[in-house]
Amino acid sequence: MSSYKEHTLFGILFTLLFFQNPISLAIALIGISLPDFDHKIKKDKVYKMIIVGLLIFIALYLFNLAYILGIMICILAIILYFSNHRGFTHSLVGISILSGLIFLIIILGSSIVTSSINLIPISQMANNKELSIIIITIFMVFLFLNRRLLAAFLILFLSGIVFFPIVNISWYSVLFPLLLGFISHLILDSFTPSGIELFRPFSSKKVHKKFGIAMMILFGLLAIFNWVNILRFGLF
């Protein structure tokens, strides 16, 4: 069974093939960490997610803001609570639904933060959209990342923001890293003896290291194609 350290290291290296900005790498961490929230030892975190979701719902409702954000966080927590280990969260259907839900939470959350920022004087060192995504990303990572990695994450993430200023972040560079994080987790778990039920709930058939090797080759080719385009057309 792969440890959280192995998943984190492999997932970050996997994502670095396509993205090098700190926000995308931080968002990938969410996808890397989330699948194992179906484990019993993570249930306490799921309870905390429900409490956080309810508090956000109440606060946003009182301020007449988009309180559906709190509901979405609660829905995410409920899905994780009822997921069996190496089941729904380790399937194509599961990672698609979870990625879409988290993506919507990030969009809605950053929109609410942007609206709040616009109401107060703030330095123009960062674009409000990018600053909002940074804030909501840190919040999401705190919900999902292993607490032993939080200090290292904050140091590296904030250092990256300072030395590599973020401009014109797109929703593509939010959603795709999230998916890459999920996929990296599935690839690594496919190398374990128990494998993963990739096509659940439609099939209980498990895939093993052949799937992992095939996916690594596929994404390796995609990364090469991506870098060829970058070097050819100067796209970043």
Side-chain angles (χ1 to χ4, degrees), residues 85-102:
H85 188 49
R86 292 280 180 88
F88 182 74
T89 63
H90 288 66
S91 68
L92 290 177
V93 173
I95 66 172
S96 298
I97 292 174
L98 292 173
S99 295
L101 186 55
I102 294 170

Side-chain angles (χ1 to χ4, degrees), residues 204-219:
S204 59
K205 182 179 179 180
K206 292 186 176 182
V207 298
H208 297 272
K209 63 181 181 180
K210 289 183 179 179
F211 162 78
I213 293 171
M215 292 299 288
M216 291 175 70
I217 293 173
L218 172 62
F219 279 91

Side-chain angles (χ1 to χ4, degrees), residues 115 207 233 236:
S115 300
V207 298
F233 300 107
F236 289 92

Side-chain angles (χ1 to χ4, degrees), residues 158-171:
L158 295 177
S159 298
I161 295 297
V162 171
F163 293 106
F164 302 97
I166 306 299
V167 293
N168 299 322
I169 191 79
S170 67
W171 292 125

Side-chain angles (χ1 to χ4, degrees), residues 9-212:
L9 179 59
F10 177 75
I12 290 297
L13 293 175
F14 191 69
T15 307
L16 275 170
L17 294 174
F18 300 90
F19 297 94
Q20 294 75 48
N21 73 78
I23 292 179
S24 294
L25 293 174
I27 290 172
L29 277 175
I30 299 171
I32 294 167
S33 305
L34 196 64
D36 278 345
F37 267 64
D38 60 4
H39 201 287
K40 288 183 179 180
I41 62 175
K42 296 292 180 69
K43 293 302 182 184
D44 285 345
K45 276 205 167 187
V46 174
Y47 295 142
K48 291 176 183 177
M49 283 175 58
I50 294 175
I51 294 171
V52 169
L54 290 173
L55 291 175
I56 289 175
F57 167 79
I58 294 170
L60 294 179
Y61 180 82
L62 291 175
F63 286 97
N64 198 29
L65 295 172
Y67 54 81
I68 191 175
L69 176 65
I71 297 174
M72 292 169 69
I73 293 174
C74 288
I75 291 173
L76 176 61
I78 291 170
I79 290 174
L80 296 174
Y81 180 83
F82 286 105
S83 297
N84 295 321
H85 188 49
R86 292 280 180 88
F88 182 74
T89 63
H90 288 66
S91 68
L92 290 177
V93 173
I95 66 172
S96 298
I97 292 174
L98 292 173
S99 295
L101 186 55
I102 294 170
F103 181 59
L104 291 175
I105 289 173
I106 292 175
I107 291 178
L108 186 56
S110 62
S111 175
I112 293 171
V113 174
T114 299
S115 300
S116 302
I117 289 174
N118 289 336
L119 296 176
I120 58 176
I122 191 166
S123 170
Q124 294 302 310
M125 291 176 63
N127 180 281
N128 284 359
K129 176 187 174 184
E130 277 67 53
L131 181 58
S132 299
I133 295 176
I134 289 171
I135 292 172
I136 197 67
T137 297
I138 291 175
F139 166 73
M140 294 292 285
V141 169
F142 262 84
L143 279 181
F144 300 118
L145 193 63
N146 188 294
R147 66 179 182 276
R148 295 177 182 176
L149 297 175
L150 282 176
F153 160 76
L154 283 175
I155 293 171
L156 293 174
F157 180 67
L158 295 177
S159 298
I161 295 297
V162 171
F163 293 106
F164 302 97
I166 306 299
V167 293
N168 299 322
I169 191 79
S170 67
W171 292 125
Y172 163 77
S173 55
V174 172
L175 179 58
F176 194 43
L178 185 61
L179 286 169
L180 287 174
F182 273 109
I183 292 168
S184 74
H185 191 109
L186 267 58
I187 289 174
L188 208 56
D189 277 354
S190 71
F191 283 91
T192 60
S194 58
I196 55 173
E197 296 179 356
L198 187 66
F199 305 105
R200 188 173 179 151
F202 304 108
S203 172
S204 59
K205 182 179 179 180
K206 292 186 176 182
V207 298
H208 297 272
K209 63 181 181 180
K210 289 183 179 179
F211 162 78

